[in-house]
Amino acid sequence: MKVVKTLKHTITSHHRMLDATLLVYQEALSFLITVIHEQFMALEPLSTQAVVTAVERLTHRTRHNPNPLYAEFDQRFYKFPSYFRRSAIAEAFGIVKSHHSRFELWQAERQHAQQEGKRFSKKPPTLQAKHQAFPCLYKGNMFKRTSDRAANIKVFHQGNWVWLPITFKGQDLFKRNVWSMKECSPTLVRKGKRYALHIAYEGDVKLTQAEISKQRVCAVDLGLTNSAVCSVMDANGTVLARTFINQAKEKDRMRQITGKLKQAQRQSGIGAKPNFWRRMNGLQTHIVHDTAHQILAFAQKYHADIIVMEYLGKMRLPKGTWGAKRLRAKLQFWAKRCIQTKVTEMAHFLGMWVSMVNPANTSALAFDGSGFVQRNTKRDVAVFATGKTYHADLNASYNIGARYVLRNIHKATSEKMWLSLEAKDPPLAKRTYWTLASLIRVQQALSLQS
């Protein structure tokens, strides 16, 4: 499969001199968004490449096109580079097309509400002409590398487009494992007052092709108390390793900053409070990245072929839940989908598969098959029906890995054979009742029949 990895190269030689280039590109983008929005009915059925050609005829004067409909473009953006223009047209078309798609969805929602006689107060989406977009510096036309840490880029300076030599921080391509991949054209990105070149590297990665019976599964249970609890098992249900991942210091710091934010809101009202949110977002980003890196390091250490996680959608608490207000605050900062996305990207880059399973009853059922468990108020300790006490998240990770292996066995087994297994073990009839004990019993039954 194709993978893309982007490396950031901070520009060290120039900062404020690049502001004009970014500003003129964003102004041109706003102009083109207006043009495409006015001509969208004629441009909608065309491909992106055809749209670029059509919009150039509408805006750019040439010998064969002396009178374009929107001649103001060449007057406002004199000597605007052709590659910049085509890149801006493609991006503007995507923005306008997305707006029309959202507007059609809004119309469908309104029509559905009117048919059912419900009140519909949702406002329609509006097209924003101004966007914080960043230009792509195409190789040869806008970007010429002179060394590993230097290049010439075309910028807008003092009313003209000129070549500017810049220097930037390098990256260890061997350490980042992109030395054999294709280097794409960089993007000029501003963050704060500084600029950087974001260079993407494309390559092909072959995912592991191990047989189901020889696969090693890294099961991951994401939680609130521990960021993640992982266990590695084989196809027979033998647990080979386990680990607990948590960022106690960062979470404690997050709790303190959240308390200070609440105190500030009580004193001065609910406002933007950007400094608090900047620190909180930074801590949350660190938790996401650290959790993902530790999961991948654990999976690599024990040679896992696939990482299995729960499919976690939007979570809603039932009415009357004790401590619901505090739990909602925790769920608000639980970046479960961000962790899963990061793990998926990193795993594919390393050649590992990623799969999701149904999360129902993974924590509620004991992995030994003794039935439902009782959990303490902190929800981190589970007491089995047999009286055994076990870590709740570790118990869930066993069931997550077992469900993935059982799903593969179910697909590879004939219906007649599976029905005979269900007759001997009735909980197999429901996938939400599959546990590690179910996997062990199925493997024993299949080995006896073979």
Side-chain angles (χ1 to χ4, degrees), residues 324-380:
K325 184 176 180 181
R326 188 173 182 180
L327 186 55
R328 285 194 191 97
K330 287 185 177 181
L331 291 174
Q332 182 182 2
F333 296 103
W334 187 25
K336 54 186 183 299
R337 295 297 298 170
C338 294
I339 295 174
Q340 290 180 342
T341 302
K342 186 71 175 177
V343 169
T344 302
E345 293 174 354
M346 296 176 64
H348 286 167
F349 189 79
L350 296 173
M352 297 183 190
W353 294 88
V354 177
S355 183
M356 302 289 177
V357 297
N358 190 341
N361 296 328
T362 53
S363 300
L365 291 171
F367 73 88
D368 61 358
S370 58
F372 288 91
V373 302
Q374 298 291 331
R375 300 174 69 177
N376 63 345
T377 54
K378 197 177 177 182
R379 314 291 289 178
D380 61 341

Side-chain angles (χ1 to χ4, degrees), residues 430-445:
K430 290 185 177 181
R431 292 191 176 189
T432 55
Y433 279 60
W434 288 353
T435 61
L436 180 61
S438 305
L439 172 61
I440 296 173
R441 288 194 294 266
V442 167
Q443 292 285 26
Q444 291 174 350

Side-chain angles (χ1 to χ4, degrees), residues 132-236:
Q132 293 294 326
F134 302 109
C136 179
L137 305 176
Y138 290 95
K139 288 183 178 180
N141 187 274
M142 305 292 299
F143 176 84
K144 294 180 181 179
R145 185 189 283 271
T146 56
S147 68
D148 292 340
R149 300 188 179 187
N152 293 328
I153 63 173
K154 188 172 283 189
V155 299
F156 188 72
H157 181 59
Q158 295 180 352
N160 196 11
W161 291 91
V162 297
W163 286 99
L164 176 70
I166 62 169
T167 57
F168 49 84
K169 292 183 179 179
Q171 290 275 7
D172 190 344
L173 302 185
F174 287 90
K175 182 179 179 181
R176 304 302 296 273
N177 200 20
V178 296
W179 60 272
S180 61
M181 301 172 70
K182 177 186 174 183
E183 182 182 287
C184 301
S185 298
T187 302
L188 182 65
V189 178
R190 181 179 66 188
K191 186 173 182 181
K193 296 181 180 180
R194 293 186 174 273
Y195 285 83
L197 294 176
H198 286 195
I199 303 178
Y201 295 84
E202 291 183 353
D204 293 324
V205 174
K206 187 176 181 180
L207 300 180
T208 56
Q209 302 294 330
E211 297 179 6
I212 298 175
S213 59
K214 298 180 180 179
Q215 278 186 345
R216 282 194 175 188
V217 178
C218 177
V220 180
D221 178 66
L222 302 179
L224 294 174
T225 306
N226 291 295
S227 298
V229 177
C230 310
S231 60
V232 174
M233 64 177 63
D234 60 14
N236 295 321

Side-chain angles (χ1 to χ4, degrees), residues 258-271 273 325:
T258 306
K260 292 180 180 179
L261 173 62
K262 292 179 180 179
Q263 183 180 4
Q265 289 176 340
R266 283 193 298 267
Q267 294 177 352
S268 60
I270 298 176
K273 308 293 188 296
K325 184 176 180 181

Side-chain angles (χ1 to χ4, degrees), residues 32-229:
L32 292 169
I33 288 174
T34 306
V35 171
I36 294 175
H37 182 59
E38 293 176 357
Q39 305 292 332
F40 187 73
M41 296 300 293
L43 299 174
E44 184 179 12
L46 303 178
S47 64
T48 304
Q49 185 62 38
V51 167
V52 171
T53 305
V55 175
E56 278 192 323
R57 290 197 191 102
L58 293 172
T59 56
H60 183 52
R61 180 185 288 110
T62 62
R63 184 177 62 180
H64 300 289
N65 184 35
N67 298 311
L69 183 60
Y70 298 91
E72 182 187 353
F73 182 83
D74 283 340
Q75 297 172 5
R76 287 185 56 185
F77 308 103
Y78 183 63
K79 290 186 178 181
F80 197 73
S82 59
Y83 278 76
F84 260 19
R85 183 176 62 248
R86 291 161 190 165
S87 174
I89 291 173
E91 187 166 1
F93 179 66
I95 292 171
V96 176
K97 195 172 183 179
S98 174
H99 163 71
H100 282 268
S101 299
R102 289 184 286 112
F103 187 76
E104 290 175 0
L105 290 174
W106 176 84
Q107 286 181 322
E109 290 181 11
R110 183 181 63 175
Q111 185 179 3
H112 182 70
Q114 290 175 350
Q115 290 176 352
E116 294 187 351
K118 295 181 179 179
R119 181 186 175 188
F120 186 77
S121 58
K122 186 177 179 180
K123 295 183 179 179
T126 57
L127 178 63
Q128 300 293 331
K130 294 184 178 180
H131 287 264
Q132 293 294 326
F134 302 109
C136 179
L137 305 176
Y138 290 95
K139 288 183 178 180
N141 187 274
M142 305 292 299
F143 176 84
K144 294 180 181 179
R145 185 189 283 271
T146 56
S147 68
D148 292 340
R149 300 188 179 187
N152 293 328
I153 63 173
K154 188 172 283 189
V155 299
F156 188 72
H157 181 59
Q158 295 180 352
N160 196 11
W161 291 91
V162 297
W163 286 99
L164 176 70
I166 62 169
T167 57
F168 49 84
K169 292 183 179 179
Q171 290 275 7
D172 190 344
L173 302 185
F174 287 90
K175 182 179 179 181
R176 304 302 296 273
N177 200 20
V178 296
W179 60 272
S180 61
M181 301 172 70
K182 177 186 174 183
E183 182 182 287
C184 301
S185 298
T187 302
L188 182 65
V189 178
R190 181 179 66 188
K191 186 173 182 181
K193 296 181 180 180
R194 293 186 174 273
Y195 285 83
L197 294 176
H198 286 195
I199 303 178
Y201 295 84
E202 291 183 353
D204 293 324
V205 174
K206 187 176 181 180
L207 300 180
T208 56
Q209 302 294 330
E211 297 179 6
I212 298 175
S213 59
K214 298 180 180 179
Q215 278 186 345
R216 282 194 175 188
V217 178
C218 177
V220 180
D221 178 66
L222 302 179
L224 294 174
T225 306
N226 291 295
S227 298
V229 177

